[in-house]
Amino acid sequence: PKVVDSVVRKEESTPIADANDVYGTTPAEAIQASDQLKWAVQHSMPACLKRQAENNPTAPALLEKIDGVWQTTSYADFWKDTKNVSRSLLALGLEPGDVTASFAWNCPEWSKFDLATMSARASTLGLYPNTSADRARYLLKLSEAKVLFVDDQEHWDTIKDVIAKVPSLEKVVVKDGVEANHPKVMPWSQFIEAGQRIPDSLVDKRMRDIRPTDRGCLIPTSGTSGKPKIVELSQANVAGQGKIIQEVTN
């Protein structure tokens, strides 16, 4: 992981021509690196979700309690929804290397927004649910976030006065039902509708172009000893963690 304590540099993501450039110089290291790169490209988190949806479409992926009753989302529906969110992000102009952010509690929209961002070769920043307005402003500026997802009224009330202070922020997507009056705000349902004009093929291409060294997600440190820093995790790093969790749980 790479720790950033100033504005995150948005680099052009390019294909890796030679594994030696990244991992080593000896033939043995190059062979091992080639296998690692191949694995990471084929098994990014979005690719894993897609494969799970194809192999186990009716298996439960998410559980959400609504009015006291647990509602199940299958892997097929989870992937379909995630892909629709990715289409919507492309409709908003999200480019490879861009950053989205979420200011939310654990919810299905957060998971879909997160994975959809990685599907688009962008990276996602999660703000802690108890983040103050001042710290949110600092982290959003530091990461140069372009699109922000907000899940409830309390978080919107915290963040609403910050939006004008983050030049990079172009859109704020709020969960339906949140009362938010701002020119940059877009309700979730309208956000999803905006993506309908984007063909699936564009999302598929972004996913095929994912490289192991692409930034996958950004994690803020606690900032207990000063201003928080941001840790950059690559797509390969995120995928590797998923692989380890799978091995442990199996």
mmCIF file of all heavy atoms in Angstrom, residues 99-137:
data_model
loop_
_atom_site.group_PDB
_atom_site.id
_atom_site.type_symbol
_atom_site.label_atom_id
_atom_site.label_comp_id
_atom_site.label_asym_id
_atom_site.label_seq_id
_atom_site.Cartn_x
_atom_site.Cartn_y
_atom_site.Cartn_z
ATOM 1 N N VAL A 99 -11.846 9.230 -8.620
ATOM 2 C CA VAL A 99 -12.179 8.771 -7.259
ATOM 3 C C VAL A 99 -13.643 9.064 -6.957
ATOM 4 O O VAL A 99 -14.144 10.152 -7.255
ATOM 5 C CB VAL A 99 -11.293 9.476 -6.211
ATOM 6 C CG1 VAL A 99 -11.707 9.079 -4.791
ATOM 7 C CG2 VAL A 99 -9.825 9.135 -6.437
ATOM 8 N N THR A 100 -14.330 8.082 -6.380
ATOM 9 C CA THR A 100 -15.645 8.313 -5.802
ATOM 10 C C THR A 100 -15.513 8.168 -4.289
ATOM 11 O O THR A 100 -14.521 7.637 -3.784
ATOM 12 C CB THR A 100 -16.698 7.315 -6.307
ATOM 13 O OG1 THR A 100 -16.432 6.010 -5.762
ATOM 14 C CG2 THR A 100 -16.710 7.242 -7.830
ATOM 15 N N ALA A 101 -16.522 8.625 -3.561
ATOM 16 C CA ALA A 101 -16.493 8.508 -2.110
ATOM 17 C C ALA A 101 -17.878 8.148 -1.604
ATOM 18 O O ALA A 101 -18.892 8.449 -2.252
ATOM 19 C CB ALA A 101 -16.021 9.822 -1.473
ATOM 20 N N SER A 102 -17.921 7.506 -0.449
ATOM 21 C CA SER A 102 -19.186 7.152 0.190
ATOM 22 C C SER A 102 -19.178 7.660 1.627
ATOM 23 O O SER A 102 -18.201 7.468 2.352
ATOM 24 C CB SER A 102 -19.395 5.634 0.185
ATOM 25 O OG SER A 102 -19.549 5.148 -1.125
ATOM 26 N N PHE A 103 -20.274 8.301 2.019
ATOM 27 C CA PHE A 103 -20.474 8.736 3.399
ATOM 28 C C PHE A 103 -21.747 8.035 3.850
ATOM 29 O O PHE A 103 -22.853 8.551 3.671
ATOM 30 C CB PHE A 103 -20.617 10.260 3.449
ATOM 31 C CG PHE A 103 -20.548 10.839 4.836
ATOM 32 C CD1 PHE A 103 -19.918 10.187 5.878
ATOM 33 C CD2 PHE A 103 -21.115 12.083 5.091
ATOM 34 C CE1 PHE A 103 -19.851 10.739 7.146
ATOM 35 C CE2 PHE A 103 -21.054 12.654 6.354
ATOM 36 C CZ PHE A 103 -20.421 11.974 7.388
ATOM 37 N N ALA A 104 -21.577 6.840 4.394
ATOM 38 C CA ALA A 104 -22.746 5.995 4.623
ATOM 39 C C ALA A 104 -22.466 4.922 5.660
ATOM 40 O O ALA A 104 -21.322 4.548 5.913
ATOM 41 C CB ALA A 104 -23.161 5.326 3.306
ATOM 42 N N TRP A 105 -23.563 4.445 6.241
ATOM 43 C CA TRP A 105 -23.507 3.226 7.030
ATOM 44 C C TRP A 105 -23.517 2.051 6.068
ATOM 45 O O TRP A 105 -23.703 2.201 4.865
ATOM 46 C CB TRP A 105 -24.706 3.154 7.978
ATOM 47 C CG TRP A 105 -24.750 4.230 9.003
ATOM 48 C CD1 TRP A 105 -25.473 5.404 8.953
ATOM 49 C CD2 TRP A 105 -24.031 4.262 10.241
ATOM 50 N NE1 TRP A 105 -25.242 6.158 10.067
ATOM 51 C CE2 TRP A 105 -24.365 5.485 10.886
ATOM 52 C CE3 TRP A 105 -23.143 3.389 10.875
ATOM 53 C CZ2 TRP A 105 -23.849 5.848 12.128
ATOM 54 C CZ3 TRP A 105 -22.627 3.754 12.110
ATOM 55 C CH2 TRP A 105 -22.979 4.967 12.723
ATOM 56 N N ASN A 106 -23.347 0.848 6.608
ATOM 57 C CA ASN A 106 -23.390 -0.354 5.790
ATOM 58 C C ASN A 106 -24.783 -0.497 5.167
ATOM 59 O O ASN A 106 -25.781 -0.549 5.876
ATOM 60 C CB ASN A 106 -23.067 -1.575 6.656
ATOM 61 C CG ASN A 106 -22.902 -2.831 5.839
ATOM 62 O OD1 ASN A 106 -22.788 -2.775 4.620
ATOM 63 N ND2 ASN A 106 -22.893 -3.964 6.498
ATOM 64 N N CYS A 107 -24.845 -0.539 3.839
ATOM 65 C CA CYS A 107 -26.123 -0.694 3.145
ATOM 66 C C CYS A 107 -25.849 -1.248 1.756
ATOM 67 O O CYS A 107 -24.733 -1.147 1.247
ATOM 68 C CB CYS A 107 -26.865 0.650 3.062
ATOM 69 S SG CYS A 107 -26.013 1.935 2.117
ATOM 70 N N PRO A 108 -26.855 -1.863 1.113
ATOM 71 C CA PRO A 108 -26.640 -2.432 -0.216
ATOM 72 C C PRO A 108 -26.127 -1.421 -1.236
ATOM 73 O O PRO A 108 -25.277 -1.747 -2.071
ATOM 74 C CB PRO A 108 -28.031 -2.954 -0.606
ATOM 75 C CG PRO A 108 -28.686 -3.257 0.690
ATOM 76 C CD PRO A 108 -28.204 -2.185 1.625
ATOM 77 N N GLU A 109 -26.640 -0.189 -1.176
ATOM 78 C CA GLU A 109 -26.190 0.827 -2.131
ATOM 79 C C GLU A 109 -24.699 1.105 -1.990
ATOM 80 O O GLU A 109 -24.011 1.313 -2.987
ATOM 81 C CB GLU A 109 -26.973 2.129 -1.929
ATOM 82 C CG GLU A 109 -28.424 2.057 -2.345
ATOM 83 C CD GLU A 109 -29.329 1.533 -1.236
ATOM 84 O OE1 GLU A 109 -28.814 1.108 -0.169
ATOM 85 O OE2 GLU A 109 -30.560 1.549 -1.426
ATOM 86 N N TRP A 110 -24.209 1.097 -0.765
ATOM 87 C CA TRP A 110 -22.774 1.318 -0.521
ATOM 88 C C TRP A 110 -21.950 0.231 -1.215
ATOM 89 O O TRP A 110 -20.962 0.527 -1.886
ATOM 90 C CB TRP A 110 -22.500 1.326 0.977
ATOM 91 C CG TRP A 110 -21.089 1.642 1.360
ATOM 92 C CD1 TRP A 110 -20.570 2.861 1.678
ATOM 93 C CD2 TRP A 110 -20.001 0.710 1.471
ATOM 94 N NE1 TRP A 110 -19.219 2.753 1.971
ATOM 95 C CE2 TRP A 110 -18.854 1.443 1.857
ATOM 96 C CE3 TRP A 110 -19.883 -0.669 1.283
ATOM 97 C CZ2 TRP A 110 -17.617 0.844 2.045
ATOM 98 C CZ3 TRP A 110 -18.647 -1.275 1.470
ATOM 99 C CH2 TRP A 110 -17.528 -0.506 1.848
ATOM 100 N N SER A 111 -22.367 -1.035 -1.044
ATOM 101 C CA SER A 111 -21.626 -2.148 -1.654
ATOM 102 C C SER A 111 -21.645 -2.053 -3.178
ATOM 103 O O SER A 111 -20.621 -2.266 -3.838
ATOM 104 C CB SER A 111 -22.234 -3.489 -1.213
ATOM 105 O OG SER A 111 -22.134 -3.656 0.182
ATOM 106 N N LYS A 112 -22.790 -1.732 -3.726
ATOM 107 C CA LYS A 112 -22.903 -1.634 -5.183
ATOM 108 C C LYS A 112 -22.092 -0.458 -5.727
ATOM 109 O O LYS A 112 -21.414 -0.577 -6.752
ATOM 110 C CB LYS A 112 -24.377 -1.494 -5.579
ATOM 111 C CG LYS A 112 -25.218 -2.710 -5.228
ATOM 112 C CD LYS A 112 -26.712 -2.428 -5.319
ATOM 113 C CE LYS A 112 -27.527 -3.600 -4.799
ATOM 114 N NZ LYS A 112 -28.980 -3.294 -4.779
ATOM 115 N N PHE A 113 -22.154 0.664 -5.034
ATOM 116 C CA PHE A 113 -21.403 1.852 -5.437
ATOM 117 C C PHE A 113 -19.901 1.577 -5.399
ATOM 118 O O PHE A 113 -19.158 1.974 -6.308
ATOM 119 C CB PHE A 113 -21.764 3.003 -4.487
ATOM 120 C CG PHE A 113 -21.337 4.359 -4.953
ATOM 121 C CD1 PHE A 113 -22.085 5.067 -5.877
ATOM 122 C CD2 PHE A 113 -20.196 4.956 -4.446
ATOM 123 C CE1 PHE A 113 -21.700 6.340 -6.299
ATOM 124 C CE2 PHE A 113 -19.802 6.220 -4.857
ATOM 125 C CZ PHE A 113 -20.553 6.913 -5.781
ATOM 126 N N ASP A 114 -19.471 0.868 -4.372
ATOM 127 C CA ASP A 114 -18.060 0.541 -4.187
ATOM 128 C C ASP A 114 -17.544 -0.344 -5.318
ATOM 129 O O ASP A 114 -16.536 -0.044 -5.964
ATOM 130 C CB ASP A 114 -17.892 -0.154 -2.839
ATOM 131 C CG ASP A 114 -16.471 -0.135 -2.324
ATOM 132 O OD1 ASP A 114 -15.949 0.962 -2.081
ATOM 133 O OD2 ASP A 114 -15.887 -1.221 -2.146
ATOM 134 N N LEU A 115 -18.238 -1.450 -5.567
ATOM 135 C CA LEU A 115 -17.801 -2.397 -6.597
ATOM 136 C C LEU A 115 -17.984 -1.829 -7.998
ATOM 137 O O LEU A 115 -17.203 -2.124 -8.905
ATOM 138 C CB LEU A 115 -18.565 -3.713 -6.443
ATOM 139 C CG LEU A 115 -18.091 -4.585 -5.275
ATOM 140 C CD1 LEU A 115 -19.140 -5.626 -4.905
ATOM 141 C CD2 LEU A 115 -16.770 -5.263 -5.614
ATOM 142 N N ALA A 116 -19.015 -1.012 -8.172
ATOM 143 C CA ALA A 116 -19.226 -0.380 -9.479
ATOM 144 C C ALA A 116 -18.097 0.574 -9.810
ATOM 145 O O ALA A 116 -17.673 0.683 -10.962
ATOM 146 C CB ALA A 116 -20.558 0.361 -9.489
ATOM 147 N N THR A 117 -17.596 1.260 -8.794
ATOM 148 C CA THR A 117 -16.468 2.171 -8.991
ATOM 149 C C THR A 117 -15.243 1.406 -9.466
ATOM 150 O O THR A 117 -14.573 1.804 -10.424
ATOM 151 C CB THR A 117 -16.150 2.927 -7.692
ATOM 152 O OG1 THR A 117 -17.268 3.756 -7.343
ATOM 153 C CG2 THR A 117 -14.912 3.801 -7.853
ATOM 154 N N MET A 118 -14.933 0.299 -8.795
ATOM 155 C CA MET A 118 -13.779 -0.509 -9.201
ATOM 156 C C MET A 118 -13.985 -1.110 -10.585
ATOM 157 O O MET A 118 -13.033 -1.268 -11.348
ATOM 158 C CB MET A 118 -13.503 -1.583 -8.161
ATOM 159 C CG MET A 118 -12.900 -1.037 -6.882
ATOM 160 S SD MET A 118 -12.228 -2.309 -5.789
ATOM 161 C CE MET A 118 -13.740 -2.956 -5.091
ATOM 162 N N SER A 119 -15.244 -1.448 -10.922
ATOM 163 C CA SER A 119 -15.539 -1.973 -12.258
ATOM 164 C C SER A 119 -15.202 -0.955 -13.337
ATOM 165 O O SER A 119 -14.863 -1.323 -14.467
ATOM 166 C CB SER A 119 -17.022 -2.350 -12.366
ATOM 167 O OG SER A 119 -17.372 -3.351 -11.446
ATOM 168 N N ALA A 120 -15.294 0.319 -12.991
ATOM 169 C CA ALA A 120 -15.020 1.390 -13.948
ATOM 170 C C ALA A 120 -13.559 1.824 -13.950
ATOM 171 O O ALA A 120 -13.217 2.862 -14.510
ATOM 172 C CB ALA A 120 -15.917 2.597 -13.644
ATOM 173 N N ARG A 121 -12.697 1.042 -13.297
ATOM 174 C CA ARG A 121 -11.261 1.340 -13.180
ATOM 175 C C ARG A 121 -11.008 2.628 -12.413
ATOM 176 O O ARG A 121 -9.992 3.301 -12.616
ATOM 177 C CB ARG A 121 -10.579 1.422 -14.543
ATOM 178 C CG ARG A 121 -10.370 0.108 -15.248
ATOM 179 C CD ARG A 121 -9.451 0.270 -16.448
ATOM 180 N NE ARG A 121 -8.048 0.390 -16.059
ATOM 181 C CZ ARG A 121 -7.073 0.778 -16.869
ATOM 182 N NH1 ARG A 121 -7.344 1.115 -18.111
ATOM 183 N NH2 ARG A 121 -5.824 0.849 -16.438
ATOM 184 N N ALA A 122 -11.922 2.967 -11.526
ATOM 185 C CA ALA A 122 -11.733 4.113 -10.637
ATOM 186 C C ALA A 122 -11.515 3.569 -9.230
ATOM 187 O O ALA A 122 -11.549 2.363 -9.005
ATOM 188 C CB ALA A 122 -12.950 5.030 -10.695
ATOM 189 N N SER A 123 -11.280 4.458 -8.288
ATOM 190 C CA SER A 123 -11.058 4.018 -6.906
ATOM 191 C C SER A 123 -12.054 4.687 -5.979
ATOM 192 O O SER A 123 -12.579 5.764 -6.266
ATOM 193 C CB SER A 123 -9.616 4.311 -6.466
ATOM 194 O OG SER A 123 -9.281 5.658 -6.693
ATOM 195 N N THR A 124 -12.314 4.017 -4.857
ATOM 196 C CA THR A 124 -13.363 4.452 -3.959
ATOM 197 C C THR A 124 -12.813 4.781 -2.578
ATOM 198 O O THR A 124 -11.962 4.062 -2.051
ATOM 199 C CB THR A 124 -14.456 3.367 -3.858
ATOM 200 O OG1 THR A 124 -15.395 3.716 -2.846
ATOM 201 C CG2 THR A 124 -13.856 2.011 -3.516
ATOM 202 N N LEU A 125 -13.289 5.876 -2.023
ATOM 203 C CA LEU A 125 -12.896 6.310 -0.682
ATOM 204 C C LEU A 125 -14.093 6.187 0.245
ATOM 205 O O LEU A 125 -15.163 6.719 -0.043
ATOM 206 C CB LEU A 125 -12.429 7.771 -0.713
ATOM 207 C CG LEU A 125 -12.260 8.478 0.641
ATOM 208 C CD1 LEU A 125 -11.037 7.934 1.375
ATOM 209 C CD2 LEU A 125 -12.147 9.983 0.448
ATOM 210 N N GLY A 126 -13.923 5.489 1.361
ATOM 211 C CA GLY A 126 -14.983 5.373 2.340
ATOM 212 C C GLY A 126 -14.742 6.312 3.506
ATOM 213 O O GLY A 126 -13.692 6.254 4.153
ATOM 214 N N LEU A 127 -15.706 7.217 3.759
ATOM 215 C CA LEU A 127 -15.634 8.084 4.922
ATOM 216 C C LEU A 127 -16.288 7.363 6.101
ATOM 217 O O LEU A 127 -17.369 6.793 5.959
ATOM 218 C CB LEU A 127 -16.363 9.407 4.659
ATOM 219 C CG LEU A 127 -15.828 10.285 3.523
ATOM 220 C CD1 LEU A 127 -16.738 11.488 3.334
ATOM 221 C CD2 LEU A 127 -14.400 10.725 3.808
ATOM 222 N N TYR A 128 -15.645 7.392 7.259
ATOM 223 C CA TYR A 128 -16.247 6.770 8.430
ATOM 224 C C TYR A 128 -17.592 7.430 8.713
ATOM 225 O O TYR A 128 -17.746 8.651 8.559
ATOM 226 C CB TYR A 128 -15.323 6.906 9.643
ATOM 227 C CG TYR A 128 -14.023 6.157 9.512
ATOM 228 C CD1 TYR A 128 -12.808 6.841 9.396
ATOM 229 C CD2 TYR A 128 -14.002 4.765 9.480
ATOM 230 C CE1 TYR A 128 -11.613 6.152 9.261
ATOM 231 C CE2 TYR A 128 -12.812 4.075 9.345
ATOM 232 C CZ TYR A 128 -11.617 4.769 9.234
ATOM 233 O OH TYR A 128 -10.435 4.081 9.099
ATOM 234 N N PRO A 129 -18.592 6.651 9.144
ATOM 235 C CA PRO A 129 -19.924 7.226 9.366
ATOM 236 C C PRO A 129 -19.961 8.369 10.376
ATOM 237 O O PRO A 129 -20.855 9.217 10.330
ATOM 238 C CB PRO A 129 -20.739 6.020 9.875
ATOM 239 C CG PRO A 129 -20.027 4.820 9.328
ATOM 240 C CD PRO A 129 -18.578 5.189 9.328
ATOM 241 N N ASN A 130 -18.996 8.397 11.295
ATOM 242 C CA ASN A 130 -18.966 9.462 12.306
ATOM 243 C C ASN A 130 -17.995 10.592 11.949
ATOM 244 O O ASN A 130 -17.631 11.395 12.803
ATOM 245 C CB ASN A 130 -18.604 8.879 13.675
ATOM 246 C CG ASN A 130 -17.214 8.237 13.691
ATOM 247 O OD1 ASN A 130 -16.618 8.025 12.631
ATOM 248 N ND2 ASN A 130 -16.710 7.925 14.868
ATOM 249 N N THR A 131 -17.593 10.660 10.681
ATOM 250 C CA THR A 131 -16.666 11.704 10.238
ATOM 251 C C THR A 131 -17.302 13.092 10.383
ATOM 252 O O THR A 131 -18.460 13.292 10.016
ATOM 253 C CB THR A 131 -16.262 11.479 8.773
ATOM 254 O OG1 THR A 131 -15.626 10.203 8.649
ATOM 255 C CG2 THR A 131 -15.296 12.543 8.288
ATOM 256 N N SER A 132 -16.539 14.028 10.896
ATOM 257 C CA SER A 132 -17.030 15.402 11.036
ATOM 258 C C SER A 132 -17.028 16.098 9.679
ATOM 259 O O SER A 132 -16.381 15.651 8.727
ATOM 260 C CB SER A 132 -16.145 16.179 12.006
ATOM 261 O OG SER A 132 -14.847 16.362 11.460
ATOM 262 N N ALA A 133 -17.740 17.214 9.601
ATOM 263 C CA ALA A 133 -17.806 17.968 8.350
ATOM 264 C C ALA A 133 -16.425 18.454 7.929
ATOM 265 O O ALA A 133 -16.054 18.380 6.749
ATOM 266 C CB ALA A 133 -18.762 19.149 8.506
ATOM 267 N N ASP A 134 -15.648 18.938 8.885
ATOM 268 C CA ASP A 134 -14.326 19.468 8.562
ATOM 269 C C ASP A 134 -13.402 18.370 8.044
ATOM 270 O O ASP A 134 -12.673 18.569 7.080
ATOM 271 C CB ASP A 134 -13.713 20.130 9.794
ATOM 272 C CG ASP A 134 -12.374 20.786 9.477
ATOM 273 O OD1 ASP A 134 -12.355 21.719 8.648
ATOM 274 O OD2 ASP A 134 -11.348 20.365 10.055
ATOM 275 N N ARG A 135 -13.454 17.201 8.685
ATOM 276 C CA ARG A 135 -12.591 16.105 8.234
ATOM 277 C C ARG A 135 -13.065 15.557 6.897
ATOM 278 O O ARG A 135 -12.243 15.165 6.053
ATOM 279 C CB ARG A 135 -12.565 14.998 9.290
ATOM 280 C CG ARG A 135 -11.674 13.818 8.910
ATOM 281 C CD ARG A 135 -11.116 13.116 10.099
ATOM 282 N NE ARG A 135 -10.198 13.957 10.857
ATOM 283 C CZ ARG A 135 -9.502 13.532 11.902
ATOM 284 N NH1 ARG A 135 -9.617 12.285 12.321
ATOM 285 N NH2 ARG A 135 -8.685 14.342 12.541
ATOM 286 N N ALA A 136 -14.367 15.516 6.682
ATOM 287 C CA ALA A 136 -14.893 15.071 5.397
ATOM 288 C C ALA A 136 -14.406 15.989 4.278
ATOM 289 O O ALA A 136 -13.988 15.534 3.212
ATOM 290 C CB ALA A 136 -16.419 15.027 5.433
ATOM 291 N N ARG A 137 -14.455 17.301 4.534
ATOM 292 C CA ARG A 137 -13.971 18.266 3.546
ATOM 293 C C ARG A 137 -12.495 18.010 3.223
ATOM 294 O O ARG A 137 -12.101 17.984 2.055
ATOM 295 C CB ARG A 137 -14.147 19.694 4.083
ATOM 296 C CG ARG A 137 -13.555 20.782 3.183
ATOM 297 C CD ARG A 137 -13.395 22.103 3.918
ATOM 298 N NE ARG A 137 -12.584 21.969 5.118
ATOM 299 C CZ ARG A 137 -11.249 21.874 5.117
ATOM 300 N NH1 ARG A 137 -10.579 21.906 3.983
ATOM 301 N NH2 ARG A 137 -10.601 21.742 6.256
#
